[in-house]
Amino acid sequence: MEHLLVNRVYVVVVNWNGWRDTLECLESLRALSYSPLSVIVCDNGSTDDSLHRLRDWVDDHDIDCAEYSAAEAECGGIAGLDPWLVLVRNGANLGFAGGNNVALRYALSRDDFSYAWLLNNDTVVDPDALAHLVRRMEEQPSIGMCGSTIRYYEDRDKVQALGGGHYCRFVGLPWHYGRFWGGRTERGRAERWMNYVEGASLMVSRRFLKEVGLMSEDYFLYFEEADWAERAKGRFELGFAPRSLVYHKVGRSIGTSSNPRRKSYTCDFYNVRNRILFTRRYYPYALPTVYLVLVGGLLLRILLGRFDHAAMVLRLILGRAKR
């Protein structure tokens, strides 16, 4: 692809006990057609030997790399050092937003970039994916957040999301655009319908970060991108780059599943907890209907024999959750 854009991009990947997926993601990033870029991998206190595996990969492939603690990274690392890969030891599981924010503080401290591209570690990207994201944001500078065409890794004809989706405030649930009707990629329609960008592939501008701020760390998992978009309302628009293709393995590390029989406790807890938190924060008038939907979900969990999940939902509804 012809290089028409010269804006520097930081690509941010958070790893937590998922070094195999992270390495596959990094291999795809090495094939990107876009330049200049730097990749930041923040390890969220992994216990599966991820740091050693990542260091071995760096050595085996002779990758230009710098390694920092979270505190060192947030101060911008070593001045004048500009490696292709920055490996950051966060030291603990800071959650999705917390892990990404360490990398974003590194970028903001260096102040030498135009965009930051947040990628899930369980993704593989098309070589031109980044170039198309930057091109879309350059076409319309009012765009502060931009998404990709996200397809399922194991079924690449199937769409997970076209850019992002629509959060329905009265049920407290997001609906990914394009998920149920295939691969139609009309950009204008998607951008009109979206009120958040799917976080598996999310580009933000430097100006967005400086004016809106970093991701909220109140959620730990889920709803961070919806919160970010909510805070940006009236200042920035949401964009979609249809030809930016990203393939997502979907919830490898925490047991994400749309099937309530297979959803992990962690996934279920944060989904329910954060529906309440987000609604209370931005749409408190919708709390009665959100609670009604949650009661229905509680009964479904009982019918499925998932009594621990049902008890957790009840505690959250009553405001008694300890986690």
Side-chain angles (χ1 to χ4, degrees), residues 260-279:
R261 291 182 183 276
R262 297 200 301 266
K263 188 172 290 187
S264 74
Y265 188 94
T266 298
C267 170
D268 210 8
F269 173 84
Y270 284 110
N271 262 311
V272 175
R273 169 189 178 267
N274 293 342
R275 285 164 73 181
I276 297 170
L277 174 60
F278 184 82
T279 304

Side-chain angles (χ1 to χ4, degrees), residues 33-54:
S33 63
Y34 184 87
S35 181
L37 68 87
S38 295
V39 180
I40 309 168
V41 174
C42 288
D43 183 75
N44 258 357
S46 294
T47 57
D48 69 342
D49 209 31
S50 278
L51 282 169
H52 290 298
R53 298 287 186 167
L54 291 167

